[in-house]
Amino acid sequence: MTIGELIKKVRTEYALIENVDSEIRLVLCELLKVSMSMLFMKQEEEASSELSFKVLDIFEKRRAHMPLQQLLGKAFFYGREFKVNSDVLTPRPETELLVNLVVNYVKKANKLQNRVWNILDLCTGSGAIAVSIKKELDEAGIQSKVAAGDISSKALVIANENALLNEACVDFEESDLFEKFEGQRFDIIVSNPPYIKSDEIEGLMEEVRDHEPRIALDGGATGLDFYRKIVSEAKSHLFPGGFLAFEIGYDQGEAVKKLLEESGFKDVIVNKDLCRLDRIVAGNI
C-alpha cells in the first residue's frame, strides 16, 4: 500500500470523523516529519507496515473521540509547540487573545516606565499562557518575572516540560490559587480558570468531556466560582494600578465585568473573539 492509498483508506474507513481529510495529512506529516508539500510528493511511495499500523491505531482512537493533539502529544499555541496529554486542557486558539492582550498591555506601559514586570498566571495547566507571555516579552527585550500556579501536580509536570521545550524561565508552583503566593504582589495577574457550569459538562463534546481533566473545566454551579475567588483575593496580590485579565465563557462577560467593578477595579473591558463572542474581561485596580 502506498502513502496515497493509505490516505484514501483512512478517508473511507473513518469518514464519520469530522475533518478526517485534514487530520490524516497532519498525522502523516508528523509521523514522517515532512511538510504538507513534501507529503504530496511522497504519495506514490510505499507505506511501511509500521507507519500503516500507527496511522490506523491513531484513527481508531480518534473514532473513540480521543483528541488528536493528545494522540500526537503536542499542540501549537501562539506560534510555539506545547506538549499536551490527558492531564492538561489542550490550549485553544481563543486563549491566544488573552496572551495578546497582556503582551500588548506590557509593551505599551513599558514605553512609559522601563522596568521588570512581575506576572502571575493562575490555573496554568499546560503552562501555555505563562510560557507564551514570557517568550514574547523576552523577544521584545522587556524584562519580566513570570510565576504560575496550578493545583494539579500532574499538570505542572507538563507545564515544566513546556517551559524547557520553549526555553522560557517560568516559576511554577503547585498551588490552590493564591495559596503559595501569599505575601507576594504582581503587576499583572492573568487566568484562564475553569468556567463551565457543572451541569453542562455532560453535554460537552466527547473529546472534551471524556478526555480532558474535569478539574480544568468545572467552574461550579454558575461557572463563576473561580472568578469570584480570584477577584476577591486579587487586590491584595496586585501592586497599585495592577492589571487583572481573564478568559471567560461566551455568556459570562457582563457577570465577570460586574465582579471586577464591585471589587473596585476600574476601566473594565470586555473583548470579543473572532466569532464576536465575549472572551476576555480585564481591568485595573
Side-chain angles (χ1 to χ4, degrees):
M1 181 166 53
T2 66
I3 290 174
E5 289 169 340
L6 177 59
I7 291 173
K8 291 177 182 177
K9 178 180 177 68
V10 171
R11 278 182 188 157
T12 302
E13 292 190 11
Y14 303 97
L16 293 180
I17 297 174
E18 189 176 0
N19 301 320
V20 66
D21 197 48
S22 60
E23 287 194 7
I24 177 58
R25 284 174 164 75
L26 285 171
V27 168
L28 284 170
C29 285
E30 176 60 27
L31 295 178
L32 295 170
K33 304 301 180 186
V34 298
S35 65
M36 286 287 184
S37 57
M38 283 295 296
L39 178 62
F40 179 78
M41 291 186 283
K42 283 181 168 287
Q43 291 195 47
E44 297 304 316
E45 293 183 11
E46 190 73 15
S48 68
S49 57
E50 181 183 8
L51 176 66
S52 299
F53 175 82
K54 286 182 178 178
V55 168
L56 295 175
D57 181 59
I58 285 172
F59 280 92
E60 274 299 305
K61 291 172 180 174
R62 281 293 292 126
R63 182 146 60 186
H65 301 288
M66 285 191 67
L68 182 61
Q69 294 92 335
Q70 288 184 17
L71 291 169
L72 297 179
K74 66 171 65 175
F76 289 90
F77 180 81
Y78 219 87
R80 297 180 180 88
E81 181 180 313
F82 289 86
K83 293 183 179 181
V84 295
N85 64 11
S86 60
D87 296 321
V88 298
L89 198 68
T90 300
R92 269 65 167 178
E94 295 85 355
T95 308
E96 294 183 355
L97 299 173
L98 185 59
V99 172
N100 197 54
L101 176 74
V102 171
V103 169
N104 286 337
Y105 177 89
V106 174
K107 286 181 177 179
K108 183 178 179 180
N110 199 64
K111 291 179 181 178
L112 303 175
Q113 189 179 20
N114 188 352
R115 58 186 177 84
V116 178
W117 290 83
N118 290 282
I119 300 169
L120 174 63
D121 172 30
L122 292 176
C123 308
T124 194
S126 68
I129 292 174
V131 168
S132 298
I133 289 172
K134 179 60 178 172
K135 290 296 291 183
E136 289 298 309
L137 295 181
D138 284 353
E139 291 173 9
I142 297 174
Q143 297 181 77
S144 66
K145 293 181 179 179
V146 179
D150 201 285
I151 198 170
S152 169
S153 58
K154 291 181 178 180
L156 291 174
V157 171
I158 299 300
N160 276 292
E161 289 181 4
N162 283 325
L164 289 172
L165 176 66
N166 287 283
E167 298 180 335
C169 183
V170 177
D171 178 22
F172 291 103
E173 294 281 355
E174 185 176 341
S175 180
D176 184 358
L177 298 182
F178 292 103
E179 177 190 15
K180 295 292 178 64
F181 302 101
E182 286 304 319
Q184 298 183 49
R185 287 185 180 265
F186 301 88
D187 300 294
I188 297 171
I189 296 172
V190 60
S191 183
N192 177 20
Y195 58 70
I196 307 297
K197 295 176 183 177
S198 300
D199 62 4
E200 292 182 356
I201 290 177
E202 288 306 310
L204 296 175
M205 293 171 54
E206 292 97 325
E207 284 85 348
V208 177
R209 183 192 67 209
D210 298 336
H211 299 284
E212 294 198 298
R214 189 181 180 106
I215 194 173
L217 300 170
D218 195 340
T222 65
L224 300 173
D225 283 6
F226 286 86
Y227 299 110
R228 290 194 181 96
K229 292 175 184 177
I230 293 171
V231 171
S232 69
E233 296 185 51
K235 290 171 68 175
S236 63
H237 290 278
L238 283 168
F239 290 118
F243 189 62
L244 176 63
F246 289 117
E247 179 173 335
I248 59 166
Y250 73 94
D251 58 351
Q252 296 172 325
E254 287 306 311
V256 177
K257 180 183 179 184
K258 185 178 180 182
L259 285 175
L260 267 69
E261 290 175 339
E262 289 180 344
S263 191
F265 284 83
K266 303 172 185 176
D267 303 319
V268 180
I269 59 170
V270 181
N271 287 352
K272 296 183 182 297
D273 60 23
L274 295 178
C275 296
R276 306 305 300 163
L277 299 173
D278 289 348
R279 189 58 59 190
I280 306 294
V281 174
N284 291 92
I285 195 62

